[in-house]
Amino acid sequence: MTDVAIVVHGGAGEWPADAHDAARAGMEAAVEAGHAILAAGGDALAAVEAAVVVLEDDPIFNAGRGAALDERGGVLLDASLMRGADRAAGSVAALRGIRNPVRAARAVMEDGRHLMLVGESASLFARTAGLETAPESWFRTEARRRAFENGDSSRGGTVGAVARDARGGLAAATSTGGSARKHPGRVGDSPLVAAGTWADDATAAVSCTGDGEAIIRTALAHEVDALMRHAGLPLAEACEVALAGLALRPGTGGLIAVCADDVAAPFTTPAMPRAWRLGHGPTLTAVGRDG
Amino acid sequence: MTDVAIVVHGGAGEWPADAHDAARAGMEAAVEAGHAILAAGGDALAAVEAAVVVLEDDPIFNAGRGAALDERGGVLLDASLMRGADRAAGSVAALRGIRNPVRAARAVMEDGRHLMLVGESASLFARTAGLETAPESWFRTEARRRAFENGDSSRGGTVGAVARDARGGLAAATSTGGSARKHPGRVGDSPLVAAGTWADDATAAVSCTGDGEAIIRTALAHEVDALMRHAGLPLAEACEVALAGLALRPGTGGLIAVCADDVAAPFTTPAMPRAWRLGHGPTLTAVGRDG
């Protein structure tokens, strides 16, 4: 038996001081949801899915409810998840009207026919799979409408979770509404295995956030795996080197990662809400560089 | 000045003997189109784009005209390309009605706002960019209609090109109609940077083909880069080790790759049409294991 572990993030970027309390509360709730599953003997994949569902439902984050609006003022959602034991993975992009995109990614994975579905066909698949739908009005919060009307095109608020279960199994999940005022067909790193999400029990489970296009060009999540596997770096160093690579693309961002005996949550932006719980320890949260 | 090089593939899979001549002819035409650009001092990105355009227009391959039909009998196209100098990249998936998907990927890259566009929005972007359109009837060949009616769900026929230009610049491009009878929202490895396509002048340019979902779970194209960069393997060995990794997912396939001083085209399927031209040498073609 291994000590269980879970880490969540709420998106690398600028987080104004008046949003810190809400971000911490959301992070803590997500960690508790995931930890409850791990503590009951559940697997890492179920834990990261449950944690991300909490964050998708929390309107402060840019995922599920409260997602950033695209250039037409619409909501299109992306998510992916991956299991480290066998690298099974599921992904959806440009998904519309499904309350919890991470559940749609899980449904794609469980269906097993394909790994990634996009657009209207992905939405139809998710509805057919019996996933809960929600009207556009449920996703579009007043804060996002104001930001859209003010021309705000900031990024950030993507959510993710990584976990290690009692059998040493790892998993990662990532979910986002994408960059604000994006082209409605735009796909960033979050739903892309190797870019935004990766998990392999032999190395690490990783969920990324930040400048999506630069993260894709860095293959950021898989680069952490590669640095551990091929260069022999420990987790924390692999994450730092991978983020230094992101800076060259150029881009800023952050990631959370877990391996057999460590966790990491580095970022190169001013802030990245994050929380973690290791074994029977307390849930710890932080937003900026100094906590 | 470096010796220029170009390699193309026509998809790892089963290639019946009666299709070998047509496959070789298509491969040769694509190499000539790309080589002409390289010989005139053009860059590697232009060369791989031109080579893939030839293959998209050739109905024998599963890309552009002659693409495999999805489960509804429709045609949805995926492509990506990447430049090694700066890792600039462009990608489209679930594209409809654009004659040359690789040109759409190039247009996304040149536009620069995003890296990947999917679905109807990608098609609209490509039309707005002035790319040539084509009716569904242009893509749907008689051979594909027969295969669809016979319930054929084989994979294969994806196309790709990698090149090195006279300044040592590398580039890769990949294009496909996806797996036959796919879910219409399915995205495989071809349009995914890190999975089906990768290029970095410091390591290699790579285009993959084969079992798409397994290639995604291997991050196959980026794994070749990682094995060269972090494990110090030469190109040919990096390609072999990466393909051995694909087998574990489990999957079969192949890839073509070029670095500063070598090329490679390994595959684990019965055949993979391929052709290459190095420097001022002749164009060489092969289909199966023995040529």
Side-chain angles (χ1 to χ4, degrees):
Chain A
M1 296 289 280
T2 307
D3 259 3
V4 302
I6 183 162
V7 189
V8 301
H9 73 75
E14 311 258 357
W15 280 83
D18 63 6
H20 284 205
D21 285 353
R24 283 176 188 273
M27 292 283 98
E28 193 164 335
V31 159
E32 295 309 327
H35 180 81
I37 288 172
L38 297 171
D43 65 29
L45 191 71
V48 296
E49 181 183 353
V52 168
V53 163
V54 168
L55 298 171
E56 287 176 339
D57 283 348
D58 187 330
I60 197 173
F61 302 108
N62 173 18
R65 186 169 185 227
L69 305 185
D70 67 26
E71 66 179 16
R72 302 181 304 190
V75 174
L76 288 166
L77 303 164
D78 304 336
S80 64
L81 83 183
M82 190 165 188
R83 176 170 64 202
D86 57 358
R87 293 197 197 171
S91 163
V92 289
L95 186 76
R96 190 191 302 273
I98 302 298
R99 175 171 168 173
N100 292 111
V102 73
R103 288 203 202 280
R106 177 74 187 261
V108 172
M109 178 188 136
E110 297 298 339
D111 177 67
R113 183 174 163 208
H114 298 316
L115 189 150
M116 181 176 194
L117 295 179
V118 302
E120 285 305 314
S121 296
S123 308
L124 179 58
F125 170 87
R127 285 193 296 271
T128 304
L131 295 185
E132 187 177 350
T133 60
E136 188 103 338
S137 60
W138 193 82
F139 296 102
R140 288 167 51 108
T141 60
E142 184 55 33
R144 293 294 181 188
R145 271 197 292 264
R146 275 200 308 273
F148 179 79
E149 278 156 19
N150 294 336
D152 177 21
S153 63
S154 62
R155 301 188 175 200
T158 292
V159 305
V162 297
R164 181 179 67 234
D165 61 36
R167 288 171 297 280
L170 307 182
T174 311
S175 181
T176 192
S179 48
R181 304 189 79 89
K182 68 179 176 184
H183 190 287
R186 181 259 188 183
V187 174
D189 63 298
S190 301
L192 300 186
V193 164
T197 302
W198 187 261
D200 188 311
D201 285 1
T203 54
V206 183
S207 169
C208 301
T209 163
D211 294 323
E213 282 73 11
I215 290 173
I216 296 171
R217 291 195 299 266
T218 310
L220 185 61
H222 183 252
E223 181 70 355
V224 173
D225 173 291
L227 285 161
M228 295 176 73
R229 189 185 305 267
H230 302 313
L233 298 189
L235 180 75
E237 196 176 342
C239 293
E240 293 292 347
V241 172
L243 275 181
L246 174 62
L248 302 175
R249 292 308 130 205
T252 60
L255 58 84
I256 54 173
V258 60
C259 67
D261 57 6
D262 202 6
V263 298
F267 54 99
T268 60
T269 48
M272 181 178 80
R274 57 208 182 276
W276 60 98
R277 185 166 178 186
L278 311 180
H280 299 292
T283 296
L284 300 173
T285 68
V287 177
R289 308 223 145 260
D290 304 315
Chain B
M1 295 289 280
T2 307
D3 261 2
V4 302
I6 182 161
V7 189
V8 302
H9 73 76
E14 310 259 357
W15 280 83
D18 64 6
H20 284 204
D21 285 352
R24 282 176 189 274
M27 292 282 98
E28 192 163 335
V31 159
E32 294 309 328
H35 180 81
I37 288 172
L38 297 171
D43 65 30
L45 191 70
V48 297
E49 182 183 352
V52 168
V53 163
V54 168
L55 298 172
E56 287 175 339
D57 283 349
D58 188 330
I60 198 173
F61 301 108
N62 174 18
R65 186 167 184 228
L69 306 185
D70 68 26
E71 66 179 16
R72 302 180 306 190
V75 174
L76 288 166
L77 304 164
D78 304 336
S80 64
L81 82 184
M82 191 167 187
R83 177 168 66 202
D86 57 358
R87 294 197 197 169
S91 162
V92 289
L95 188 75
R96 190 191 302 273
I98 302 298
R99 175 171 167 173
N100 293 112
V102 73
R103 289 203 201 282
R106 177 74 187 262
V108 172
M109 179 189 136
E110 297 299 339
D111 176 69
R113 183 174 164 209
H114 298 316
L115 188 151
M116 181 174 193
L117 295 180
V118 301
E120 285 305 313
S121 297
S123 308
L124 180 58
F125 170 87
R127 287 193 294 272
T128 305
L131 295 185
E132 186 177 351
T133 60
E136 188 104 338
S137 60
W138 193 82
F139 297 101
R140 286 166 54 109
T141 61
E142 184 53 33
R144 293 294 181 189
R145 269 197 294 263
R146 275 200 307 273
F148 179 78
E149 279 157 20
N150 293 336
D152 178 21
S153 63
S154 62
R155 302 188 173 198
T158 293
V159 305
V162 297
R164 181 179 66 234
D165 61 37
R167 288 171 298 281
L170 308 181
T174 310
S175 182
T176 192
S179 48
R181 303 189 80 91
K182 69 181 176 183
H183 189 286
R186 182 258 189 183
V187 174
D189 64 299
S190 301
L192 300 186
V193 165
T197 302
W198 187 261
D200 188 311
D201 284 2
T203 55
V206 183
S207 170
C208 302
T209 163
D211 293 324
E213 282 72 12
I215 291 174
I216 296 171
R217 291 196 297 266
T218 310
L220 184 61
H222 183 252
E223 181 71 355
V224 173
D225 172 293
L227 285 160
M228 297 178 73
R229 189 186 303 270
H230 302 313
L233 297 189
L235 180 75
E237 195 176 342
C239 292
E240 293 292 348
V241 171
L243 274 181
L246 173 63
L248 302 175
R249 293 307 132 206
T252 61
L255 58 85
I256 53 173
V258 59
C259 66
D261 57 8
D262 202 6
V263 300
F267 55 98
T268 59
T269 48
M272 180 178 79
R274 55 208 186 274
W276 59 100
R277 185 166 179 185
L278 310 180
H280 299 290
T283 296
L284 301 174
T285 67
V287 177
R289 308 226 142 257
D290 304 315

